[in-house]
Amino acid sequence: MQILEVQALGEKEALEQALAELGTEAENVEISVLKKGSSGFLGLGQKTLGIYKVNAIRGKTPLAVIIRGVISTLLGHMGYTVTVKDHRSVEEGKLMVDLESEFAGYIIGKHGRTLEALQFMTNLIVEKITGEQPKILLDIENYRERRAEHLMEIAQKTGEYVARTGKSRLLDPLNPYERRLVHMALQDNGTVKTESEGNGVYKRVRIFKIVTDQAPDGNAAEPGNELTADDNI
């Protein structure tokens, strides 16, 4: 299955270009012609680049090569160039792929939604090519770490507000990984709790105060401590 498309005058040049971009050897891929190029009549006149398809060989093409080709192709169709810097195992069955691009802001998108879509498509295509289900995580310019720190900070500050006022707060829609970060940030907090609300992939997390029947001094809890809904954040 195709992992890359290159333009070159001839097949030899196309193969060299593909191998350099994918960082692999010739025996790991197959190349075929989509549209032949032309060097002009007797080497004179206008030269026309041909279009060549680079295919993975199931069971032989390294996973890293397939991922590199798929990401380059997807972002190329969007008009962006990208370099796959590194890939590493982060958890059992999960592979983190670090990207670099001058278009990083566009690739990340608002709240990381474009990066999430790219990650989803990459996993889908790689699974179709390999017949396996690798869990590929994409990162660019350390975005995921910065995003995680930001969410943890929001969770802590919102938890403090809820504990102080007794009013619940509803966070913006988050993906499963981001919701998990929020839950973990407040799981040891004895005054507030978190719950996910909504349907689909992107759900919202509500943070609310834990209400007890008795105040710490043994008297009835004051009305001001009752749970009330508040604005979203």
Side-chain angles (χ1 to χ4, degrees):
M1 187 173 176
Q2 180 177 340
I3 58 174
L4 190 66
E5 187 176 286
V6 296
Q7 295 185 12
L9 287 175
E11 184 171 327
K12 181 180 179 181
E13 182 183 332
L15 180 60
E16 291 175 351
Q17 181 180 328
L19 297 180
E21 185 168 345
L22 295 173
T24 190
E25 303 298 328
E27 61 266 21
N28 292 327
V29 295
E30 294 178 341
I31 192 164
S32 58
V33 182
L34 290 177
K35 179 182 177 183
K36 294 193 69 173
S38 173
S39 58
F41 180 68
L42 298 178
L44 303 174
Q46 185 175 4
K47 296 181 180 180
T48 305
L49 295 176
I51 302 175
Y52 296 84
K53 181 171 66 172
V54 183
N55 298 317
I57 304 172
R58 179 171 287 192
K60 188 171 185 180
T61 306
L63 179 60
V65 172
I66 295 174
I67 293 173
R68 186 176 288 111
V70 169
I71 293 173
S72 296
T73 299
L74 288 173
L75 288 176
H77 287 310
M78 297 170 64
Y80 304 140
T81 56
V82 66
T83 299
V84 178
K85 293 177 56 181
D86 188 26
H87 65 278
R88 62 192 186 280
S89 296
V90 289
E91 296 178 32
E92 185 176 353
K94 294 184 179 181
L95 186 69
M96 179 68 75
V97 179
D98 295 315
L99 309 177
E100 185 177 73
S101 175
E102 60 180 311
F103 305 103
Y106 296 103
I107 294 172
I108 293 170
K110 186 177 181 180
H111 298 318
R113 295 295 172 83
T114 304
L115 185 64
E116 288 291 327
L118 175 64
Q119 179 175 288
F120 174 78
M121 290 301 299
T122 299
N123 277 277
L124 200 66
I125 296 172
V126 170
E127 179 184 347
K128 188 173 182 180
I129 293 173
T130 63
E132 301 176 356
Q133 292 183 312
K135 179 59 177 177
I136 301 166
L137 305 174
L138 302 184
D139 195 12
I140 186 167
E141 291 193 354
N142 208 31
Y143 167 76
R144 293 202 178 277
E145 182 176 337
R146 291 186 286 111
R147 174 69 171 164
E149 291 175 353
H150 177 64
L151 287 173
M152 298 283 273
E153 183 179 355
I154 287 178
Q156 293 292 347
K157 289 184 177 180
T158 305
E160 292 172 3
Y161 171 86
V162 171
R164 185 175 67 254
T165 65
K167 298 179 179 180
S168 70
R169 301 303 296 269
L170 192 61
L171 304 184
D172 287 335
L174 303 171
N175 64 38
Y177 172 73
E178 292 174 334
R179 293 197 303 274
R180 181 168 174 263
L181 289 176
V182 173
H183 293 312
M184 289 177 61
L186 297 174
Q187 67 181 357
D188 295 327
N189 188 311
T191 57
V192 299
K193 293 182 67 176
T194 59
E195 286 185 359
S196 295
E197 297 183 3
N199 300 309
V201 176
Y202 291 93
K203 298 179 183 179
R204 309 179 76 174
V205 175
R206 182 176 293 280
I207 302 174
F208 58 94
K209 187 173 183 179
I210 299 173
V211 180
T212 58
D213 294 332
Q214 295 291 326
D217 59 2
N219 298 321
E222 297 181 1
N225 288 333
E226 296 174 357
L227 173 64
T228 58
D230 196 14
D231 296 334
N232 304 331
I233 62 171

